[in-house]
Amino acid sequence: MNRANEPGESMSVSVVIPCYRSARTLPSLVARLMPVLRRLSPPHEVILVVDGSPDDTWLTASRLAGEVDGVRALHLSRNYGQHNALVAGIREARFDVVVTMDDDLQHPPEQIPVLLDALERERLDLVYGVPYQEEHGFLRSFASRSVKAGMAATLGVGAARAISAFRAFRTPLRDAFEGLTGPHASVDVALSWATTRVGSASVHMDERGHGRSNYTPRLLVRHTLNMLVGYSAAPLRAASYLGFLVGIVGLALGGAVLWRFLTGGITVAGFTTLASMVALFSAAQLISIGVLGEYIGRIHGGGMGRPTYVIRERAGSPPRQASVFSAAAGPGSDAR
């Protein structure tokens, strides 16, 4: 295959990598990533977003930004979460296509051309890398599939079952979440606001380079709840449906008690029936109040102005090559 036909050659590429406890993997990741980007796209950059990592990740990232041309590093003031770090990096991106990937070497840089090829060949706006074989254990995989099913059912996210952290999308899509604020960010939900031209490409995934994933099943469930409450009214509708269902059950119980009283089956209403009805209605009310409380809490949190992220310091220089996207004065460009 000659160079003119290589997938993604005409695209200028920004690679955004959220980093947490990855001091040992970043040098290898960057060493593998840069040759791939040089073959694919002369205009390219790598943005390492250190998400308040407690180890030497920032020292490693800043050193790489000083030594390797085209690498920049952002140091967030505290740990804001993977999606918040992604938003910070995406807003800094200067080129036509943004590729996001993990810092643990599970997403091979050599598979980036597969994503770019699908993006260009199928004329898509967003492509997710789907592993040929699931790389996580049963519990983590089950939790991940549950998150994706919830996004598909309640958030209206297209191709939710194909969502992964290894994605490529056209940079102008970020305009859809230019006003995204607050501590609970979801890149995939925000991208779904911008386009329905979403696809997937099968890629090879590797084993994690060092350590273990910070995304435990508990954190995945927490992330799901954050998305449901933060980006959907589905829990409020569920509370309404619950109230309607409990009302029907209460009417049925009341009718049964009244019928037995009128037919002489009972002369005094039983304590068990009364206690059951009170418990049933009380549970429904508490659940509904809890759901409303979550939404009110989010409104209160938004009113306090909690930031999505705060950048403490930067390392590295912007890429030397001119960007087609920055010439259009998009977000994150030199014209800003």
Side-chain angles (χ1 to χ4, degrees):
M1 179 183 293
N2 59 41
R3 190 171 185 268
N5 294 325
E6 287 184 359
E9 185 196 358
S10 60
M11 303 177 183
S12 56
V13 180
S14 298
V15 179
V16 177
I17 306 174
C19 307
Y20 188 80
R21 295 185 183 276
S22 52
R24 298 176 63 184
T25 58
L26 283 183
S28 299
L29 177 57
V30 171
R32 291 171 56 183
L33 185 58
M34 299 311 292
V36 174
L37 294 178
R38 293 188 189 108
R39 288 195 301 270
L40 286 175
S41 166
H44 60 263
E45 65 179 348
V46 176
I47 304 174
L48 306 174
V49 186
V50 180
D51 188 23
S53 182
D55 62 356
D56 293 332
T57 299
W58 169 245
L59 294 176
T60 302
S62 59
R63 177 177 58 80
L64 290 169
E67 295 175 353
V68 183
D69 185 34
V71 176
R72 291 190 286 150
L74 307 178
H75 190 196
L76 302 189
S77 61
R78 50 158 289 186
N79 178 241
Y80 287 93
Q82 183 186 43
H83 284 254
N84 298 57
L86 280 172
V87 171
I90 290 169
R91 285 175 174 166
E92 293 284 323
R94 296 171 181 266
F95 291 139
D96 301 322
V97 174
V98 174
V99 175
T100 68
M101 59 192 303
D102 286 345
D103 59 349
D104 56 8
L105 297 175
Q106 283 188 306
H107 300 156
E110 295 78 12
Q111 295 295 298
I112 290 178
V114 178
L115 299 184
L116 299 183
D117 182 45
L119 195 72
E120 189 76 359
R121 185 184 66 253
E122 301 178 27
R123 298 184 180 277
L124 298 171
D125 292 325
L126 168 63
V127 173
Y128 288 104
V130 179
Y132 283 105
Q133 184 176 2
E134 183 61 59
E135 71 270 25
H136 300 298
F138 172 78
L139 189 59
R140 166 68 190 276
S141 299
F142 175 77
S144 180
R145 286 193 293 267
S146 300
V147 170
K148 295 173 183 178
M151 293 178 68
T154 61
L155 301 178
V157 177
R161 298 183 186 280
I163 283 177
S164 76
F166 196 23
R167 54 174 88 76
F169 62 91
R170 303 187 189 276
T171 305
L173 262 61
R174 66 182 174 191
D175 290 348
F177 54 95
E178 183 178 355
L180 181 66
T181 59
H184 305 291
S186 173
V187 170
D188 299 303
V189 175
L191 288 173
S192 74
W193 297 343
T195 184
T196 56
R197 294 166 59 182
V198 182
S200 62
S202 296
V203 296
H204 294 284
M205 297 286 191
D206 293 334
E207 295 292 331
R208 184 179 176 90
H210 297 281
R212 60 181 182 179
S213 174
N214 296 301
Y215 258 113
T216 62
R218 181 182 65 84
L219 289 179
L220 281 171
V221 171
R222 180 180 175 184
H223 180 59
T224 304
L225 294 176
N226 282 334
M227 288 191 300
L228 287 176
V229 177
Y231 296 92
S232 170
L236 289 174
R237 287 194 295 269
S240 299
Y241 296 149
L242 176 63
F244 181 73
L245 178 62
V246 171
I248 292 177
V249 173
L251 286 175
L253 286 174
V257 171
L258 181 61
W259 174 257
R260 292 185 63 192
F261 178 78
L262 293 176
T263 56
I266 56 174
T267 56
V268 179
F271 173 79
T272 303
T273 303
L274 183 61
S276 300
M277 292 179 64
V278 170
L280 193 62
F281 280 102
S282 298
Q285 290 172 345
L286 289 174
I287 291 173
S288 301
I289 291 172
V291 172
L292 288 172
E294 284 290 330
Y295 279 89
I296 293 172
R298 293 301 176 92
I299 295 171
H300 176 63
M304 289 191 295
R306 289 182 62 187
T308 306
Y309 58 87
V310 174
I311 298 175
R312 183 187 301 276
E313 53 187 318
R314 304 167 187 264
S317 302
R320 298 170 184 168
Q321 301 94 335
S323 165
V324 174
F325 185 77
S326 65
S333 67
D334 290 332
R336 191 169 46 166

